[in-house]
Amino acid sequence: QVQLVQSGAEVKRPGASLKVSCKAFGYTFTSYDINWVRQATGQGLEWMGWINPNSGDTGYAQKFQGRVTMTRNTSINTVYMELSSLRSEDTAMYYCARSLGVVPDQFDPWGQGTLVTVSS
Amino acid sequence: DIQMAQSPSSLSASVGDRVTITCQASQDISNYLNWYQQKPGKAPKLLIFDASILETGVPSRFSGSGSGTDFTFTISSLQPEDVATYYCQKYDNFPSITFGQGTRLEIK
């Protein structure tokens, strides 16, 4: 079935960089965009941006521009989200999610989430 | 940026009750509005897309309506398994995605 499987939990120091992976199963990887959404503990959902796995085109939310990079490896059906200059406020669960349209629209399915803790 | 105002932030209702959550956009977003359910410790799940279309496999007690700036999500008869946080989400051609603040739903 269609499934997104993310890499495991990470603990990072402030100022470090983070790279989370999201591997797709059960569909043609290059046919749908992948988005990244994060959620601080007890808080709401925050969209970070998207990547087109076919072209490699990306779009980032203004808040994260300059600090986030999304890439893909089509040979292993995997996308990556890299976030640099980490600070404590980046502590959150990070989700990847497939979107179905020409632009990011509805997200289905979602990965299981990757918990990232930023602490000295 | 278009803002989404979701209300209420929390809600307590009895099994069998009709439950309604609203989402208001700061500008006209046509029907570019989706609803998600997030159970504790789980990833969100798409329930309704394009304001009123029920995702395959989602029980028919869930429904959505609205267009323009005002949207409504309804559970016609609340079930114990519906305990969750519900989020609205808007999209556009920019592209830009914004989620509502969420509604935490509990059983009374």
Side-chain angles (χ1 to χ4, degrees):
Chain A
Q1 75 277 23
V2 177
Q3 193 177 4
L4 299 174
V5 177
Q6 298 181 224
S7 49
E10 303 251 22
V11 179
K12 294 291 185 181
R13 300 294 189 203
S17 292
L18 163 75
K19 193 169 187 176
V20 180
S21 69
C22 171
K23 186 173 175 66
F25 296 89
Y27 71 96
T28 303
F29 174 66
T30 51
S31 293
Y32 301 97
D33 294 350
I34 295 289
N35 296 259
W36 290 89
V37 176
R38 77 177 187 180
Q39 184 174 38
T41 302
Q43 302 302 308
L45 301 166
E46 182 175 36
W47 179 71
M48 301 178 69
W50 59 274
I51 180 168
N52 180 312
N54 184 45
S55 64
D57 288 347
T58 56
Y60 305 134
Q62 191 169 6
K63 175 177 178 176
F64 298 100
Q65 289 203 9
R67 212 160 64 94
V68 70
T69 304
M70 296 176 189
T71 57
R72 91 288 192 212
N73 183 333
T74 56
S75 66
I76 56 171
N77 290 359
T78 299
V79 300
Y80 303 92
M81 187 280 297
E82 189 163 9
L83 189 63
S84 62
S85 303
L86 291 170
R87 34 211 188 229
S88 59
E89 309 89 88
D90 294 317
T91 294
M93 184 73 80
Y94 288 76
Y95 294 101
C96 61
R98 187 183 71 163
S99 55
L100 306 180
V102 175
V103 295
D105 47 11
Q106 55 260 27
F107 297 163
D108 179 53
W110 296 57
Q112 84 277 18
T114 297
L115 182 61
V116 173
T117 303
V118 181
S119 174
S120 54
Chain B
D1 281 5
I2 299 174
Q3 304 302 312
M4 305 301 296
Q6 185 175 340
S7 64
S9 57
S10 64
L11 178 55
S12 182
S14 301
V15 172
D17 281 356
R18 183 180 184 87
V19 169
T20 298
I21 298 168
T22 64
C23 206
Q24 186 170 57
S26 58
Q27 298 176 40
D28 189 336
I29 58 169
S30 184
N31 66 332
Y32 297 164
L33 193 284
N34 307 315
W35 291 95
Y36 297 86
Q37 175 193 65
Q38 185 177 32
K39 295 188 176 181
K42 299 293 187 182
K45 175 188 173 185
L46 177 68
L47 297 181
I48 289 167
F49 63 95
D50 293 347
S52 62
I53 303 173
L54 199 65
E55 174 72 343
T56 302
V58 173
S60 59
R61 64 180 180 274
F62 296 100
S63 66
S65 65
S67 67
T69 60
D70 295 303
F71 302 87
T72 300
F73 170 82
T74 301
I75 306 173
S76 60
S77 178
L78 184 65
Q79 300 302 303
E81 61 266 31
D82 299 336
V83 169
T85 301
Y86 294 84
Y87 293 93
C88 63
Q89 172 238 323
K90 73 88 180 166
Y91 64 96
D92 58 39
N93 294 323
F94 181 65
S96 174
I97 300 289
T98 306
F99 291 91
Q101 301 93 324
T103 297
R104 189 172 184 173
L105 176 58
E106 299 176 338
I107 299 290
K108 198 180 292 184

